[in-house]
Amino acid sequence: MYRPDWDEYFLGIADAVAARADCVRRRVGAVVVVDRRIRATGYNGTAPGEPGCEACPRSKMSYDEVPLGSSYKAEGPGRCYSTHAEKNAMDYCDEEDLVGATLYLNTSMCDGCRKLVKASGVRRVVTPEGEERM
């Protein structure tokens, strides 16, 4: 019987969380973990009560027009209405939960989220591509 290690286990949960994302271009899931206990989860999406991806200009553009992984802060037709999964997960934590925590993501971070995560006190980020110490 195969039993996943802790990193694989929490990455699997990040994949499950991503299923709640309402973005048609990219589904991202985040899990904040302290001492092998989940403190919060988050996925990319619009604010509660706001129109989802169906109203987002970015969702109607091709990857040639707005490449996957390009800045979500872009103005004009490439702008995105979603909040990133990392931010959503960290917003549901108490400050002390973030200090020394591990953040699990089902994909790599953008530069903006990397800055937020570093400033939060999260010590480690784990993605399918590997581990990053903050």
Side-chain angles (χ1 to χ4, degrees):
M1 177 178 91
Y2 175 74
R3 186 174 184 206
D5 65 28
W6 287 109
D7 286 346
E8 292 171 317
Y9 173 74
F10 289 118
L11 284 173
I13 294 171
D15 272 336
V17 171
R20 288 283 307 150
D22 66 359
C23 179
V24 297
R25 289 175 55 97
R26 190 171 190 204
R27 291 176 171 248
V28 181
V31 182
V32 178
V33 175
V34 177
D35 297 327
R36 292 184 284 178
R37 298 288 182 248
I38 295 173
R39 297 296 190 216
T41 63
Y43 52 87
N44 57 321
T46 54
E50 294 294 318
C53 230
E54 70 277 358
C56 180
R58 191 177 184 103
S59 70
K60 295 163 183 58
M61 301 180 85
S62 73
Y63 292 111
D64 290 335
E65 294 172 295
V66 181
L68 192 61
S70 62
S71 174
Y72 279 75
K73 292 186 178 187
E75 292 300 319
R79 72 187 180 283
C80 178
Y81 295 161
S82 287
T83 301
H84 288 201
E86 300 91 329
K87 172 85 168 112
N88 277 328
M90 291 188 308
D91 281 352
Y92 279 90
C93 286
D94 294 328
E95 269 185 60
E96 59 269 13
D97 284 338
L98 294 171
V99 178
T102 299
L103 178 65
Y104 291 89
L105 300 166
N106 69 325
T107 189
S108 58
M109 286 187 288
C110 70
D111 290 338
C113 285
R114 184 169 279 104
K115 286 180 192 177
L116 287 174
V117 171
K118 279 184 179 181
S120 74
V122 167
R123 180 180 349 161
R124 189 174 163 246
V125 176
V126 178
T127 67
E129 293 80 30
E131 174 185 332
E132 182 177 347
R133 297 277 176 178
M134 296 311 213

